[in-house]
């Protein structure tokens, strides 16, 4: 693809172009992550995210890391979407993996939205956790909704370009999990019905949200298995955008580093 001639468009293309490299060449990787850290540094130095951290150097570093991994996770969806549009094909994507991902982010969206917006659930959480406040913030809800919409777009592209009839041999794996989740939902629905009707079987909304978070965690752990099996079966990763893996992996590493660093800083373990 050639770069646009307009100066502003040329600049934007210069920033976006590395993320269109399907194979992830070294120069593209260095350039792409260079841009992410550059914009992360600008945001981190101008909009600190945790003023409670006592060490000024780590406070700025933590903010830079936080904004960078947030961009990594949010941008990770788009290279694959643009690749599918460019190729007019979603061959290489596992319908199983990304259908599971939609279900996982649906659970996560419900969890974060309820935790953030419901005063009664927040009060119940504080009551059960010795006064500790819910840490879910508005940006968590936005991330969950954004991820739900983009994962749904992936599945929609598979259906549009390949047809939903294209079912892989591993589909029984996904069907089993979906049926299991449906059974859990049915049990919970009957439990709430018993609760509202004055029955003896009781479950709180907070416990229901905990269960949704557990389902999301399980899906996150296993959802890539069908994609790996599909790649192995095809003996190819063609059609699978390497940037999705790189950005998600980088985001996970940076998030872990920030969490460890913040814990050490707030705990006073050698950072003051």
């Amino acid at each position: 693809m050639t770069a646009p001639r307009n100066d502003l468009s040329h600049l934007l293309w210069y920033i976006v172009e590395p993320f269109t490299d399907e194979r992830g060449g070294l120069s593209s990787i260095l350039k792409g992550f260079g841009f992410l850290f550059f914009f992360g540094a600008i945001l981190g130095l101008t909009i600190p995210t945790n003023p409670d951290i006592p060490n000024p150097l780590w406070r700025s570093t933590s903010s830079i890391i936080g904004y960078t991994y947030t961009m990594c996770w949010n941008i990770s969806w788009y290279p694959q979407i643009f690749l599918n549009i460019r190729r007019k094909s979603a061959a290489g994507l596992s319908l199983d993996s990304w259908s599971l991902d939609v279900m996982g982010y649906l659970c996560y969206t419900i969890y974060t939205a309820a935790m953030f917006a419901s005063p009664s659930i927040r009060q119940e959480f504080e009551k059960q956790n010795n006064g500790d406040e819910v840490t879910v913030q508005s940006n968590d809800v936005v991330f969950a909704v954004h991820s739900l919409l983009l994962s749904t777009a992936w599945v929609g592209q598979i259906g549009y370009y390949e047809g939903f009839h294209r079912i892989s041999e591993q589909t029984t794996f996904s069907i089993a999990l979906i049926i299991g989740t449906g059974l859990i939902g049915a049990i919970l629905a009957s439990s709430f019905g018993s609760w509202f009707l004055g029955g003896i079987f009781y479950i709180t909304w907070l416990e229901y949200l905990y269960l949704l978070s557990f389902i999301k965690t399980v899906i996150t752990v296993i959802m890539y298995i069908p994609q790996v099996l599909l790649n192995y079966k095809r003996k190819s990763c063609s059609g699978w955008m390497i940037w999705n893996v790189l950005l998600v992996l980088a985001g996970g590493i940076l998030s872990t580093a920030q969490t460890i660093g913040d814990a050490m800083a707030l705990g006073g373990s050698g950072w003051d």
Side-chain angles (χ1 to χ4, degrees):
M1 298 177 66
T2 58
R5 293 185 178 182
N6 178 275
D7 289 341
L8 178 59
S9 299
H10 183 82
L11 176 61
L12 293 175
W13 172 252
Y14 184 73
I15 296 173
V16 171
E17 188 268 338
F19 302 102
T20 65
D21 183 356
E22 179 182 354
R23 297 183 178 276
L26 180 60
S27 61
S28 296
I29 292 174
L30 293 176
K31 187 187 295 184
F33 280 111
F35 287 136
L36 290 175
F37 277 107
F38 174 75
F39 291 115
I42 292 177
L43 292 171
L45 293 174
T46 56
I47 314 175
T49 56
N50 193 345
D52 295 329
I53 295 177
N55 184 285
L57 178 60
W58 178 252
R59 183 164 60 244
S60 298
T61 303
S62 176
S63 294
I64 292 171
I65 292 174
Y67 282 111
T68 302
Y69 81 69
T70 299
M71 286 190 293
C72 284
W73 279 343
N74 282 287
I75 292 173
S76 67
W77 297 102
Y78 292 95
Q80 184 69 55
I81 289 177
F82 294 141
L83 176 65
N84 295 343
I85 294 173
R86 188 175 69 196
R87 297 170 67 241
K88 292 183 173 54
S89 171
L93 291 184
S94 168
L95 179 60
D96 296 336
S97 284
W98 307 110
S99 295
L100 288 173
D101 203 30
V102 170
M103 186 170 66
Y105 275 114
L106 176 60
C107 292
Y108 187 54
T109 298
I110 296 172
Y111 172 85
T112 54
M115 282 289 198
F116 175 74
S118 173
S120 61
I121 290 177
R122 296 174 74 92
Q123 291 173 5
E124 181 65 22
F125 179 89
E126 293 173 9
K127 181 179 178 181
Q128 292 188 11
N129 292 273
N130 300 317
D132 292 341
E133 296 183 356
V134 174
T135 58
V136 175
Q137 302 297 324
S138 58
N139 60 293
D140 297 310
V141 181
V142 171
F143 171 76
V145 173
H146 176 262
S147 298
L148 175 61
L149 293 176
L150 271 294
S151 59
T152 302
W154 278 31
V155 173
Q157 285 189 319
I158 295 173
Y160 179 76
Y161 290 120
E162 309 299 326
F164 287 109
H165 63 278
R166 193 204 75 188
I167 305 297
S168 71
E169 293 180 356
Q170 294 83 39
T171 300
T172 52
F173 174 82
S174 299
I175 291 176
L177 183 61
I178 292 172
I179 291 176
T181 306
L183 290 175
I184 292 174
I187 293 172
L188 287 171
S190 64
S191 301
F192 284 125
S194 298
W195 177 21
F196 291 131
L197 293 173
I200 60 174
F201 192 66
Y202 179 85
I203 182 172
T204 66
W205 287 108
L206 182 60
E207 290 169 337
Y208 178 63
L209 294 177
Y210 285 157
L211 181 58
L212 290 181
S213 68
F214 176 75
I215 293 173
K216 165 58 179 168
T217 301
V218 171
I219 288 176
T220 300
V221 171
I222 66 176
M223 58 166 282
Y224 290 102
I225 295 176
Q227 182 67 58
V228 171
L229 292 176
L230 178 62
N231 294 346
Y232 176 78
K233 179 184 177 182
R234 297 171 68 232
K235 300 294 187 293
S236 172
C237 292
S238 176
W240 169 245
M241 174 57 83
I242 187 65
W243 273 106
N244 175 60
V245 178
L246 294 175
L247 290 169
V248 170
L249 178 62
I253 293 173
L254 292 174
S255 175
T256 302
Q258 184 198 47
T259 300
I260 294 174
D262 286 358
M264 293 176 63
L266 293 171
S269 301
W271 287 85
D272 295 331

